[in-house]
Amino acid sequence: MNRRRTLIAALATVVVLAAAIPVSARERPSRDRVEHYVTGSSSDAVTNPNFGLMLAGGGPDVDEAFVEFLSLADGGDVVVIRATGADGYNDYLFELAPVDSVETLVIPDRRSAESPVVAEVLGGAELIFIAGGDQWDYVSQWSGTQVVEIIDEKVAAGVPLGGTSAGLAVLGEFLFSAKKGTVYSDEVLANPYNRYVHLDRDLVSVPMLEGVITDSHFTERDRMGRLVGFMARIIEDGWAPHAFGIGIDEATAVLVDGGGSATVIGDGSAFFLSLQHAGEIVEPRTPLTVSGTTGYRISESSGSFDLDTWSGV
């Protein structure tokens, strides 16, 4: 085949491939790298979801918790968002509950966060779930974009919201952003202004989680010390006069209904902490001294908690 015929064949191949690409994908901005996966119906269902939260501690997912959480979508469209990965949740969630579809959006950068595909899919969600990964990806790539705007609008309209691991970490008013990587309890207790203690605030707006900072993999990674340190920093830095913390173990989820009543499902526990005053010593390069932190440890087999009154049994 001569060069001219080779060129004609190549152009024909390009035309065929272009025809096979969905219109919505062809219309994306040239540098948009969002990935969209659909399991179930590709049409937009319109249902009446009931607000609630699913706060998951990472590790193995809890089937029973997801079944209850997905029921809040009222058979509508479930949208999973993440910055890396693929459609690992699609088949799993679609088989757990009768929903119209499970769609995953992989949103790896700020340009992708402004994609019309993201606006269309996320805007049509009857339930939103933020997968695990690296919370700094979510903070750096999604803050100030339509991703956060749409989530806030959906929550205000009563659409249920959940997250696991890094997805849990970004749900509170305050958050450990992991901008410089993770930090360990002994490091925070030795120096609450350790360079790795990078806190942020207001990524998403969830009224039930005002004043709250969350943490996952809690017992497994010995994170009590760092969560108390984060709370002490929130007060010391003038972000709030008091701080609340929720730490959740792996293979464990906290389901919160529209009234703030929380139940724990799974193998581990959830910890609900409160600090109502500034710490005695919260200074750079100085061990943390803070007294009067109160807390509840709740498991599936014992106890319940109310986020509205911040009290439990």
Side-chain angles (χ1 to χ4, degrees), residues 25-62:
R26 292 205 308 271
E27 291 176 349
R28 295 177 194 168
S30 60
R31 294 175 60 191
D32 175 2
R33 297 191 297 132
V34 66
E35 297 174 29
H36 178 209
Y37 304 89
V38 182
T39 299
S41 173
S42 59
S43 61
D44 181 27
V46 179
T47 66
N48 296 299
N50 298 300
F51 181 71
L53 300 173
M54 178 173 170
L55 313 176
D61 292 308
V62 185

PDB file of all heavy atoms in Angstrom, residues 25-62:
ATOM      1  N   ALA A  25     -19.259  12.988  25.027  1.00  0.00           N
ATOM      2  CA  ALA A  25     -17.810  12.884  25.192  1.00  0.00           C
ATOM      3  C   ALA A  25     -17.093  13.761  24.174  1.00  0.00           C
ATOM      4  O   ALA A  25     -16.102  14.410  24.497  1.00  0.00           O
ATOM      5  CB  ALA A  25     -17.377  11.427  25.039  1.00  0.00           C
ATOM      6  N   ARG A  26     -17.614  13.811  22.916  1.00  0.00           N
ATOM      7  CA  ARG A  26     -16.954  14.621  21.882  1.00  0.00           C
ATOM      8  C   ARG A  26     -17.041  16.105  22.204  1.00  0.00           C
ATOM      9  O   ARG A  26     -16.194  16.890  21.795  1.00  0.00           O
ATOM     10  CB  ARG A  26     -17.595  14.359  20.519  1.00  0.00           C
ATOM     11  CG  ARG A  26     -17.357  12.957  19.974  1.00  0.00           C
ATOM     12  CD  ARG A  26     -17.450  12.948  18.454  1.00  0.00           C
ATOM     13  NE  ARG A  26     -18.659  13.556  17.960  1.00  0.00           N
ATOM     14  CZ  ARG A  26     -19.790  12.898  17.754  1.00  0.00           C
ATOM     15  NH1 ARG A  26     -19.870  11.614  18.045  1.00  0.00           N
ATOM     16  NH2 ARG A  26     -20.845  13.518  17.251  1.00  0.00           N
ATOM     17  N   GLU A  27     -18.083  16.513  22.937  1.00  0.00           N
ATOM     18  CA  GLU A  27     -18.282  17.931  23.221  1.00  0.00           C
ATOM     19  C   GLU A  27     -17.523  18.406  24.457  1.00  0.00           C
ATOM     20  O   GLU A  27     -17.564  19.574  24.794  1.00  0.00           O
ATOM     21  CB  GLU A  27     -19.780  18.197  23.409  1.00  0.00           C
ATOM     22  CG  GLU A  27     -20.575  18.043  22.117  1.00  0.00           C
ATOM     23  CD  GLU A  27     -22.059  18.208  22.333  1.00  0.00           C
ATOM     24  OE1 GLU A  27     -22.477  18.240  23.512  1.00  0.00           O
ATOM     25  OE2 GLU A  27     -22.793  18.307  21.339  1.00  0.00           O
ATOM     26  N   ARG A  28     -16.836  17.518  25.134  1.00  0.00           N
ATOM     27  CA  ARG A  28     -16.078  17.940  26.315  1.00  0.00           C
ATOM     28  C   ARG A  28     -14.922  18.845  25.909  1.00  0.00           C
ATOM     29  O   ARG A  28     -14.420  18.764  24.785  1.00  0.00           O
ATOM     30  CB  ARG A  28     -15.514  16.722  27.042  1.00  0.00           C
ATOM     31  CG  ARG A  28     -16.557  15.794  27.626  1.00  0.00           C
ATOM     32  CD  ARG A  28     -15.871  14.602  28.249  1.00  0.00           C
ATOM     33  NE  ARG A  28     -16.823  13.541  28.529  1.00  0.00           N
ATOM     34  CZ  ARG A  28     -16.497  12.315  28.856  1.00  0.00           C
ATOM     35  NH1 ARG A  28     -15.225  11.975  28.937  1.00  0.00           N
ATOM     36  NH2 ARG A  28     -17.418  11.418  29.109  1.00  0.00           N
ATOM     37  N   PRO A  29     -14.448  19.681  26.846  1.00  0.00           N
ATOM     38  CA  PRO A  29     -13.253  20.479  26.560  1.00  0.00           C
ATOM     39  C   PRO A  29     -12.090  19.561  26.194  1.00  0.00           C
ATOM     40  O   PRO A  29     -12.006  18.427  26.664  1.00  0.00           O
ATOM     41  CB  PRO A  29     -12.993  21.196  27.898  1.00  0.00           C
ATOM     42  CG  PRO A  29     -14.330  21.230  28.564  1.00  0.00           C
ATOM     43  CD  PRO A  29     -15.014  19.971  28.162  1.00  0.00           C
ATOM     44  N   SER A  30     -11.183  20.044  25.357  1.00  0.00           N
ATOM     45  CA  SER A  30     -10.139  19.197  24.797  1.00  0.00           C
ATOM     46  C   SER A  30      -9.251  18.567  25.869  1.00  0.00           C
ATOM     47  O   SER A  30      -8.698  17.494  25.639  1.00  0.00           O
ATOM     48  CB  SER A  30      -9.287  20.022  23.824  1.00  0.00           C
ATOM     49  OG  SER A  30      -8.692  21.115  24.504  1.00  0.00           O
ATOM     50  N   ARG A  31      -9.110  19.184  27.016  1.00  0.00           N
ATOM     51  CA  ARG A  31      -8.241  18.630  28.053  1.00  0.00           C
ATOM     52  C   ARG A  31      -9.028  17.984  29.186  1.00  0.00           C
ATOM     53  O   ARG A  31      -8.474  17.646  30.222  1.00  0.00           O
ATOM     54  CB  ARG A  31      -7.334  19.746  28.589  1.00  0.00           C
ATOM     55  CG  ARG A  31      -6.333  20.263  27.545  1.00  0.00           C
ATOM     56  CD  ARG A  31      -5.546  21.444  28.083  1.00  0.00           C
ATOM     57  NE  ARG A  31      -4.787  21.089  29.274  1.00  0.00           N
ATOM     58  CZ  ARG A  31      -4.188  21.975  30.059  1.00  0.00           C
ATOM     59  NH1 ARG A  31      -4.284  23.270  29.773  1.00  0.00           N
ATOM     60  NH2 ARG A  31      -3.517  21.593  31.119  1.00  0.00           N
ATOM     61  N   ASP A  32     -10.310  17.810  29.002  1.00  0.00           N
ATOM     62  CA  ASP A  32     -11.167  17.169  29.994  1.00  0.00           C
ATOM     63  C   ASP A  32     -10.830  15.684  30.070  1.00  0.00           C
ATOM     64  O   ASP A  32     -10.848  14.979  29.055  1.00  0.00           O
ATOM     65  CB  ASP A  32     -12.619  17.392  29.571  1.00  0.00           C
ATOM     66  CG  ASP A  32     -13.620  16.671  30.453  1.00  0.00           C
ATOM     67  OD1 ASP A  32     -13.209  16.028  31.429  1.00  0.00           O
ATOM     68  OD2 ASP A  32     -14.815  16.768  30.165  1.00  0.00           O
ATOM     69  N   ARG A  33     -10.522  15.192  31.262  1.00  0.00           N
ATOM     70  CA  ARG A  33     -10.148  13.787  31.415  1.00  0.00           C
ATOM     71  C   ARG A  33     -11.138  13.027  32.299  1.00  0.00           C
ATOM     72  O   ARG A  33     -10.811  11.979  32.830  1.00  0.00           O
ATOM     73  CB  ARG A  33      -8.742  13.681  32.002  1.00  0.00           C
ATOM     74  CG  ARG A  33      -7.657  14.280  31.088  1.00  0.00           C
ATOM     75  CD  ARG A  33      -6.269  13.916  31.561  1.00  0.00           C
ATOM     76  NE  ARG A  33      -6.000  14.477  32.883  1.00  0.00           N
ATOM     77  CZ  ARG A  33      -5.477  13.783  33.909  1.00  0.00           C
ATOM     78  NH1 ARG A  33      -5.212  12.510  33.768  1.00  0.00           N
ATOM     79  NH2 ARG A  33      -5.241  14.383  35.053  1.00  0.00           N
ATOM     80  N   VAL A  34     -12.337  13.560  32.478  1.00  0.00           N
ATOM     81  CA  VAL A  34     -13.316  12.878  33.301  1.00  0.00           C
ATOM     82  C   VAL A  34     -13.686  11.537  32.657  1.00  0.00           C
ATOM     83  O   VAL A  34     -13.769  11.418  31.438  1.00  0.00           O
ATOM     84  CB  VAL A  34     -14.574  13.750  33.518  1.00  0.00           C
ATOM     85  CG1 VAL A  34     -15.324  13.968  32.219  1.00  0.00           C
ATOM     86  CG2 VAL A  34     -15.491  13.130  34.554  1.00  0.00           C
ATOM     87  N   GLU A  35     -13.857  10.514  33.503  1.00  0.00           N
ATOM     88  CA  GLU A  35     -14.307   9.206  33.039  1.00  0.00           C
ATOM     89  C   GLU A  35     -15.682   8.937  33.632  1.00  0.00           C
ATOM     90  O   GLU A  35     -15.917   9.206  34.811  1.00  0.00           O
ATOM     91  CB  GLU A  35     -13.322   8.115  33.457  1.00  0.00           C
ATOM     92  CG  GLU A  35     -11.930   8.274  32.854  1.00  0.00           C
ATOM     93  CD  GLU A  35     -10.957   7.245  33.413  1.00  0.00           C
ATOM     94  OE1 GLU A  35     -11.394   6.144  33.789  1.00  0.00           O
ATOM     95  OE2 GLU A  35      -9.758   7.554  33.498  1.00  0.00           O
ATOM     96  N   HIS A  36     -16.569   8.389  32.820  1.00  0.00           N
ATOM     97  CA  HIS A  36     -17.962   8.177  33.228  1.00  0.00           C
ATOM     98  C   HIS A  36     -18.341   6.720  32.960  1.00  0.00           C
ATOM     99  O   HIS A  36     -18.253   6.246  31.831  1.00  0.00           O
ATOM    100  CB  HIS A  36     -18.868   9.134  32.450  1.00  0.00           C
ATOM    101  CG  HIS A  36     -20.316   8.978  32.763  1.00  0.00           C
ATOM    102  ND1 HIS A  36     -21.318   9.270  31.841  1.00  0.00           N
ATOM    103  CD2 HIS A  36     -20.962   8.561  33.886  1.00  0.00           C
ATOM    104  CE1 HIS A  36     -22.491   9.044  32.393  1.00  0.00           C
ATOM    105  NE2 HIS A  36     -22.309   8.613  33.628  1.00  0.00           N
ATOM    106  N   TYR A  37     -18.739   6.016  34.019  1.00  0.00           N
ATOM    107  CA  TYR A  37     -19.143   4.621  33.909  1.00  0.00           C
ATOM    108  C   TYR A  37     -20.595   4.493  34.372  1.00  0.00           C
ATOM    109  O   TYR A  37     -20.977   5.091  35.385  1.00  0.00           O
ATOM    110  CB  TYR A  37     -18.270   3.725  34.790  1.00  0.00           C
ATOM    111  CG  TYR A  37     -16.787   3.810  34.525  1.00  0.00           C
ATOM    112  CD1 TYR A  37     -15.993   4.750  35.194  1.00  0.00           C
ATOM    113  CD2 TYR A  37     -16.177   2.949  33.634  1.00  0.00           C
ATOM    114  CE1 TYR A  37     -14.623   4.808  34.965  1.00  0.00           C
ATOM    115  CE2 TYR A  37     -14.803   3.001  33.397  1.00  0.00           C
ATOM    116  CZ  TYR A  37     -14.035   3.931  34.073  1.00  0.00           C
ATOM    117  OH  TYR A  37     -12.676   3.994  33.844  1.00  0.00           O
ATOM    118  N   VAL A  38     -21.382   3.721  33.654  1.00  0.00           N
ATOM    119  CA  VAL A  38     -22.800   3.555  33.993  1.00  0.00           C
ATOM    120  C   VAL A  38     -23.143   2.077  34.103  1.00  0.00           C
ATOM    121  O   VAL A  38     -22.820   1.284  33.210  1.00  0.00           O
ATOM    122  CB  VAL A  38     -23.712   4.195  32.928  1.00  0.00           C
ATOM    123  CG1 VAL A  38     -25.175   4.055  33.338  1.00  0.00           C
ATOM    124  CG2 VAL A  38     -23.355   5.651  32.710  1.00  0.00           C
ATOM    125  N   THR A  39     -23.797   1.711  35.197  1.00  0.00           N
ATOM    126  CA  THR A  39     -24.398   0.392  35.344  1.00  0.00           C
ATOM    127  C   THR A  39     -25.884   0.596  35.570  1.00  0.00           C
ATOM    128  O   THR A  39     -26.280   1.324  36.479  1.00  0.00           O
ATOM    129  CB  THR A  39     -23.792  -0.375  36.535  1.00  0.00           C
ATOM    130  OG1 THR A  39     -22.383  -0.545  36.317  1.00  0.00           O
ATOM    131  CG2 THR A  39     -24.443  -1.750  36.693  1.00  0.00           C
ATOM    132  N   GLY A  40     -26.707  -0.037  34.736  1.00  0.00           N
ATOM    133  CA  GLY A  40     -28.142   0.177  34.822  1.00  0.00           C
ATOM    134  C   GLY A  40     -28.618   1.117  33.730  1.00  0.00           C
ATOM    135  O   GLY A  40     -28.003   1.219  32.661  1.00  0.00           O
ATOM    136  N   SER A  41     -29.693   1.839  33.988  1.00  0.00           N
ATOM    137  CA  SER A  41     -30.293   2.710  32.990  1.00  0.00           C
ATOM    138  C   SER A  41     -29.430   3.941  32.730  1.00  0.00           C
ATOM    139  O   SER A  41     -28.869   4.524  33.658  1.00  0.00           O
ATOM    140  CB  SER A  41     -31.686   3.153  33.453  1.00  0.00           C
ATOM    141  OG  SER A  41     -32.219   4.121  32.576  1.00  0.00           O
ATOM    142  N   SER A  42     -29.364   4.341  31.473  1.00  0.00           N
ATOM    143  CA  SER A  42     -28.620   5.557  31.123  1.00  0.00           C
ATOM    144  C   SER A  42     -29.513   6.792  31.121  1.00  0.00           C
ATOM    145  O   SER A  42     -29.040   7.908  30.932  1.00  0.00           O
ATOM    146  CB  SER A  42     -27.982   5.397  29.736  1.00  0.00           C
ATOM    147  OG  SER A  42     -28.975   5.144  28.758  1.00  0.00           O
ATOM    148  N   SER A  43     -30.803   6.609  31.345  1.00  0.00           N
ATOM    149  CA  SER A  43     -31.719   7.750  31.410  1.00  0.00           C
ATOM    150  C   SER A  43     -31.786   8.277  32.840  1.00  0.00           C
ATOM    151  O   SER A  43     -31.432   7.582  33.796  1.00  0.00           O
ATOM    152  CB  SER A  43     -33.118   7.350  30.934  1.00  0.00           C
ATOM    153  OG  SER A  43     -33.648   6.333  31.756  1.00  0.00           O
ATOM    154  N   ASP A  44     -32.241   9.494  32.987  1.00  0.00           N
ATOM    155  CA  ASP A  44     -32.289  10.142  34.296  1.00  0.00           C
ATOM    156  C   ASP A  44     -33.622   9.841  34.990  1.00  0.00           C
ATOM    157  O   ASP A  44     -34.681  10.224  34.506  1.00  0.00           O
ATOM    158  CB  ASP A  44     -32.116  11.657  34.132  1.00  0.00           C
ATOM    159  CG  ASP A  44     -32.130  12.399  35.461  1.00  0.00           C
ATOM    160  OD1 ASP A  44     -31.765  11.786  36.473  1.00  0.00           O
ATOM    161  OD2 ASP A  44     -32.528  13.577  35.468  1.00  0.00           O
ATOM    162  N   ALA A  45     -33.544   9.146  36.107  1.00  0.00           N
ATOM    163  CA  ALA A  45     -34.748   8.882  36.896  1.00  0.00           C
ATOM    164  C   ALA A  45     -35.042  10.094  37.776  1.00  0.00           C
ATOM    165  O   ALA A  45     -34.131  10.812  38.195  1.00  0.00           O
ATOM    166  CB  ALA A  45     -34.557   7.650  37.769  1.00  0.00           C
ATOM    167  N   VAL A  46     -36.293  10.307  38.065  1.00  0.00           N
ATOM    168  CA  VAL A  46     -36.692  11.391  38.969  1.00  0.00           C
ATOM    169  C   VAL A  46     -37.501  10.763  40.098  1.00  0.00           C
ATOM    170  O   VAL A  46     -38.610  10.268  39.882  1.00  0.00           O
ATOM    171  CB  VAL A  46     -37.529  12.462  38.248  1.00  0.00           C
ATOM    172  CG1 VAL A  46     -37.935  13.559  39.237  1.00  0.00           C
ATOM    173  CG2 VAL A  46     -36.735  13.066  37.091  1.00  0.00           C
ATOM    174  N   THR A  47     -36.921  10.749  41.303  1.00  0.00           N
ATOM    175  CA  THR A  47     -37.589  10.133  42.449  1.00  0.00           C
ATOM    176  C   THR A  47     -37.584  11.122  43.617  1.00  0.00           C
ATOM    177  O   THR A  47     -37.200  12.271  43.462  1.00  0.00           O
ATOM    178  CB  THR A  47     -36.895   8.824  42.855  1.00  0.00           C
ATOM    179  OG1 THR A  47     -35.572   9.114  43.353  1.00  0.00           O
ATOM    180  CG2 THR A  47     -36.765   7.868  41.667  1.00  0.00           C
ATOM    181  N   ASN A  48     -37.984  10.657  44.780  1.00  0.00           N
ATOM    182  CA  ASN A  48     -38.042  11.506  45.974  1.00  0.00           C
ATOM    183  C   ASN A  48     -37.120  10.953  47.055  1.00  0.00           C
ATOM    184  O   ASN A  48     -37.555  10.229  47.946  1.00  0.00           O
ATOM    185  CB  ASN A  48     -39.482  11.577  46.498  1.00  0.00           C
ATOM    186  CG  ASN A  48     -40.418  12.234  45.509  1.00  0.00           C
ATOM    187  OD1 ASN A  48     -40.233  13.394  45.151  1.00  0.00           O
ATOM    188  ND2 ASN A  48     -41.421  11.487  45.049  1.00  0.00           N
ATOM    189  N   PRO A  49     -35.824  11.276  46.974  1.00  0.00           N
ATOM    190  CA  PRO A  49     -34.884  10.749  47.967  1.00  0.00           C
ATOM    191  C   PRO A  49     -35.128  11.329  49.354  1.00  0.00           C
ATOM    192  O   PRO A  49     -35.731  12.397  49.507  1.00  0.00           O
ATOM    193  CB  PRO A  49     -33.522  11.195  47.419  1.00  0.00           C
ATOM    194  CG  PRO A  49     -33.826  12.400  46.587  1.00  0.00           C
ATOM    195  CD  PRO A  49     -35.180  12.154  45.984  1.00  0.00           C
ATOM    196  N   ASN A  50     -34.654  10.609  50.356  1.00  0.00           N
ATOM    197  CA  ASN A  50     -34.732  11.045  51.747  1.00  0.00           C
ATOM    198  C   ASN A  50     -33.322  11.325  52.250  1.00  0.00           C
ATOM    199  O   ASN A  50     -32.417  10.503  52.068  1.00  0.00           O
ATOM    200  CB  ASN A  50     -35.381   9.965  52.614  1.00  0.00           C
ATOM    201  CG  ASN A  50     -36.804   9.680  52.188  1.00  0.00           C
ATOM    202  OD1 ASN A  50     -37.652  10.564  52.205  1.00  0.00           O
ATOM    203  ND2 ASN A  50     -37.057   8.448  51.767  1.00  0.00           N
ATOM    204  N   PHE A  51     -33.151  12.480  52.889  1.00  0.00           N
ATOM    205  CA  PHE A  51     -31.793  12.849  53.300  1.00  0.00           C
ATOM    206  C   PHE A  51     -31.263  11.932  54.401  1.00  0.00           C
ATOM    207  O   PHE A  51     -32.004  11.476  55.283  1.00  0.00           O
ATOM    208  CB  PHE A  51     -31.755  14.294  53.798  1.00  0.00           C
ATOM    209  CG  PHE A  51     -30.355  14.706  54.201  1.00  0.00           C
ATOM    210  CD1 PHE A  51     -29.389  14.902  53.231  1.00  0.00           C
ATOM    211  CD2 PHE A  51     -30.006  14.839  55.532  1.00  0.00           C
ATOM    212  CE1 PHE A  51     -28.093  15.251  53.589  1.00  0.00           C
ATOM    213  CE2 PHE A  51     -28.709  15.193  55.895  1.00  0.00           C
ATOM    214  CZ  PHE A  51     -27.756  15.405  54.913  1.00  0.00           C
ATOM    215  N   GLY A  52     -29.986  11.690  54.346  1.00  0.00           N
ATOM    216  CA  GLY A  52     -29.279  10.936  55.361  1.00  0.00           C
ATOM    217  C   GLY A  52     -27.806  10.928  55.015  1.00  0.00           C
ATOM    218  O   GLY A  52     -27.407  11.327  53.911  1.00  0.00           O
ATOM    219  N   LEU A  53     -26.990  10.494  55.964  1.00  0.00           N
ATOM    220  CA  LEU A  53     -25.551  10.417  55.755  1.00  0.00           C
ATOM    221  C   LEU A  53     -25.074   8.997  55.976  1.00  0.00           C
ATOM    222  O   LEU A  53     -25.603   8.271  56.817  1.00  0.00           O
ATOM    223  CB  LEU A  53     -24.812  11.338  56.732  1.00  0.00           C
ATOM    224  CG  LEU A  53     -25.111  12.829  56.691  1.00  0.00           C
ATOM    225  CD1 LEU A  53     -24.404  13.536  57.838  1.00  0.00           C
ATOM    226  CD2 LEU A  53     -24.683  13.426  55.352  1.00  0.00           C
ATOM    227  N   MET A  54     -24.051   8.609  55.226  1.00  0.00           N
ATOM    228  CA  MET A  54     -23.323   7.374  55.501  1.00  0.00           C
ATOM    229  C   MET A  54     -21.868   7.738  55.685  1.00  0.00           C
ATOM    230  O   MET A  54     -21.206   8.211  54.760  1.00  0.00           O
ATOM    231  CB  MET A  54     -23.477   6.364  54.376  1.00  0.00           C
ATOM    232  CG  MET A  54     -22.688   5.082  54.627  1.00  0.00           C
ATOM    233  SD  MET A  54     -23.034   3.821  53.375  1.00  0.00           S
ATOM    234  CE  MET A  54     -21.762   2.611  53.762  1.00  0.00           C
ATOM    235  N   LEU A  55     -21.371   7.541  56.890  1.00  0.00           N
ATOM    236  CA  LEU A  55     -19.986   7.858  57.237  1.00  0.00           C
ATOM    237  C   LEU A  55     -19.269   6.537  57.445  1.00  0.00           C
ATOM    238  O   LEU A  55     -19.499   5.844  58.439  1.00  0.00           O
ATOM    239  CB  LEU A  55     -19.938   8.708  58.509  1.00  0.00           C
ATOM    240  CG  LEU A  55     -20.912   9.900  58.566  1.00  0.00           C
ATOM    241  CD1 LEU A  55     -20.813  10.594  59.933  1.00  0.00           C
ATOM    242  CD2 LEU A  55     -20.631  10.883  57.439  1.00  0.00           C
ATOM    243  N   ALA A  56     -18.400   6.166  56.513  1.00  0.00           N
ATOM    244  CA  ALA A  56     -17.756   4.853  56.541  1.00  0.00           C
ATOM    245  C   ALA A  56     -16.271   4.989  56.839  1.00  0.00           C
ATOM    246  O   ALA A  56     -15.591   5.878  56.310  1.00  0.00           O
ATOM    247  CB  ALA A  56     -17.975   4.123  55.225  1.00  0.00           C
ATOM    248  N   GLY A  57     -15.764   4.077  57.675  1.00  0.00           N
ATOM    249  CA  GLY A  57     -14.395   4.185  58.166  1.00  0.00           C
ATOM    250  C   GLY A  57     -13.321   3.605  57.288  1.00  0.00           C
ATOM    251  O   GLY A  57     -12.156   3.562  57.682  1.00  0.00           O
ATOM    252  N   GLY A  58     -13.672   3.156  56.093  1.00  0.00           N
ATOM    253  CA  GLY A  58     -12.669   2.608  55.195  1.00  0.00           C
ATOM    254  C   GLY A  58     -12.511   1.108  55.362  1.00  0.00           C
ATOM    255  O   GLY A  58     -13.173   0.474  56.184  1.00  0.00           O
ATOM    256  N   GLY A  59     -11.622   0.531  54.579  1.00  0.00           N
ATOM    257  CA  GLY A  59     -11.459  -0.914  54.603  1.00  0.00           C
ATOM    258  C   GLY A  59     -12.633  -1.596  53.933  1.00  0.00           C
ATOM    259  O   GLY A  59     -13.289  -1.013  53.060  1.00  0.00           O
ATOM    260  N   PRO A  60     -12.950  -2.832  54.329  1.00  0.00           N
ATOM    261  CA  PRO A  60     -14.059  -3.553  53.688  1.00  0.00           C
ATOM    262  C   PRO A  60     -15.376  -2.790  53.818  1.00  0.00           C
ATOM    263  O   PRO A  60     -15.701  -2.263  54.878  1.00  0.00           O
ATOM    264  CB  PRO A  60     -14.103  -4.877  54.472  1.00  0.00           C
ATOM    265  CG  PRO A  60     -12.729  -5.034  55.034  1.00  0.00           C
ATOM    266  CD  PRO A  60     -12.255  -3.655  55.335  1.00  0.00           C
ATOM    267  N   ASP A  61     -16.125  -2.739  52.727  1.00  0.00           N
ATOM    268  CA  ASP A  61     -17.431  -2.087  52.749  1.00  0.00           C
ATOM    269  C   ASP A  61     -18.430  -2.944  53.520  1.00  0.00           C
ATOM    270  O   ASP A  61     -18.317  -4.174  53.571  1.00  0.00           O
ATOM    271  CB  ASP A  61     -17.935  -1.853  51.328  1.00  0.00           C
ATOM    272  CG  ASP A  61     -17.101  -0.815  50.582  1.00  0.00           C
ATOM    273  OD1 ASP A  61     -16.919   0.284  51.122  1.00  0.00           O
ATOM    274  OD2 ASP A  61     -16.638  -1.117  49.459  1.00  0.00           O
ATOM    275  N   VAL A  62     -19.409  -2.295  54.122  1.00  0.00           N
ATOM    276  CA  VAL A  62     -20.401  -2.970  54.953  1.00  0.00           C
ATOM    277  C   VAL A  62     -21.698  -3.088  54.158  1.00  0.00           C
ATOM    278  O   VAL A  62     -22.414  -2.097  53.954  1.00  0.00           O
ATOM    279  CB  VAL A  62     -20.638  -2.201  56.270  1.00  0.00           C
ATOM    280  CG1 VAL A  62     -21.593  -2.974  57.181  1.00  0.00           C
ATOM    281  CG2 VAL A  62     -19.308  -1.949  56.988  1.00  0.00           C
TER     282      VAL A  62
END
